[in-house]
Amino acid sequence: KNEVEQSPQNLTAQEGEFITINCSYSVGISALHWLQQHPGGGIVSLFMLSSGKKKHGRLIATINIQEKHSSLHITASHPRDSAVYICAVTVHTGNQFYFGTGTSLTVIP
Amino acid sequence: NAGVMQNPRHLVRRRGQEARLRCSPMKGHSHVYWYRQLPEEGLKFMVYLQKENIIDESGMPKERFSAEFPKEGPSILRIQQVVRGDSAAYFCASSEDSNYGYTFGSGTRLTVV
């Protein structure tokens, strides 16, 4: 079983839709990260959070430490949001990341 | 601030050759992490280094792979006698401190032919 599970694995949305990607983890963490990877491209760190909620533009990330769950929301989705979104956690006992397998998002005009 | 610089972006090696991947962390960052993304798979941790020290190499294959982060210069991930299964994207990330945010490089895509 992976330490980090994401859902859905694939997601197709119409432009303008509200999108939610979920992440659950099974280990004690020091922080949770949401990353974005475009096809053939590098990785961009979107959020690092250890409690509560963060917002950046149309992106919102929340985390519930008790439930070991995080969500990434995209409001008013746009085709340029099409990418793979990866949830990752850094654990208390070390400094490495554990990664989810990613959610592939396609936003159709 | 140029961010995390990885080079080369693409690297082609024949089986049995050596591959050297370079990572220059962001200015002021002394923590470097290497990750591997195999085709159709997620990212996997390989090694965590601070200046001149390997802190955690639990994700590194036991043979042919080594990493260093010298006092001067970039961090190097070295793969000796490459095999086709080493073909992957190798990402480097750096941070000022393990409690701070991480910045990723654009990755090096290694193809072994």
Side-chain angles (χ1 to χ4, degrees):
Chain A
K1 185 182 184 299
N2 290 335
E3 292 83 0
V4 181
E5 299 280 353
Q6 280 185 245
S7 65
Q9 193 170 359
N10 296 287
L11 180 59
T12 300
Q14 289 292 134
E15 183 173 357
E17 283 187 11
F18 180 83
I19 288 163
T20 296
I21 300 170
N22 295 301
C23 174
S24 297
Y25 53 92
S26 57
V27 293
I29 68 169
S30 56
L32 183 141
H33 308 254
W34 282 102
L35 311 172
Q36 181 191 55
Q37 185 175 30
H38 283 273
I43 295 170
V44 175
S45 178
L46 298 174
F47 295 103
M48 173 180 169
L49 63 166
S50 53
S51 65
K53 176 180 174 178
K54 286 190 177 179
K55 184 176 188 294
H56 186 257
R58 296 180 293 106
L59 302 177
I60 303 166
T62 64
I63 187 168
N64 184 317
I65 298 294
Q66 287 73 31
E67 294 185 3
K68 294 188 174 180
H69 180 269
S70 174
S71 293
L72 176 69
H73 305 285
I74 305 175
T75 61
S77 60
H78 190 276
R80 64 174 175 266
D81 296 326
S82 299
V84 175
Y85 292 84
I86 302 168
C87 173
V89 299
T90 43
V91 300
H92 289 308
T93 55
N95 294 282
Q96 58 171 283
F97 279 96
Y98 289 107
F99 295 90
T101 52
T103 294
S104 179
L105 170 66
T106 302
V107 180
I108 300 170
Chain B
N1 194 338
V4 177
M5 303 300 293
Q6 285 190 252
N7 65 81
R9 286 294 300 273
H10 300 275
L11 180 62
V12 179
R13 284 287 178 266
R14 295 187 183 278
R15 280 181 295 172
Q17 290 185 320
E18 179 180 285
R20 280 183 177 244
L21 288 63
R22 294 175 185 77
C23 169
S24 296
M26 282 187 69
K27 187 177 180 181
H29 286 192
S30 59
H31 299 238
V32 167
Y33 309 79
W34 284 94
Y35 301 90
R36 177 165 66 173
Q37 187 175 41
L38 291 164
E40 307 304 322
E41 292 188 23
L43 285 152
K44 299 289 184 187
F45 166 81
M46 297 184 75
V47 61
Y48 161 47
L49 310 102
Q50 291 183 34
K51 279 290 186 182
E52 299 185 270
N53 293 306
I54 295 174
I55 305 303
D56 182 350
E57 56 181 349
S58 58
M60 285 270 275
K62 293 289 185 286
E63 297 177 351
R64 302 187 297 107
F65 285 72
S66 62
E68 62 177 15
F69 188 16
K71 187 175 180 181
E72 300 292 336
S75 176
I76 305 288
L77 179 67
R78 183 181 176 207
I79 311 172
Q80 294 178 292
Q81 298 175 312
V82 296
V83 301
R84 288 227 171 101
D86 297 331
S87 296
Y90 292 83
F91 289 94
C92 164
S94 74
S95 67
E96 181 180 348
D97 181 278
S98 60
N99 293 319
Y100 286 84
Y102 299 79
T103 301
F104 282 81
S106 298
T108 292
R109 279 148 185 84
L110 171 66
T111 302
V112 179
V113 297

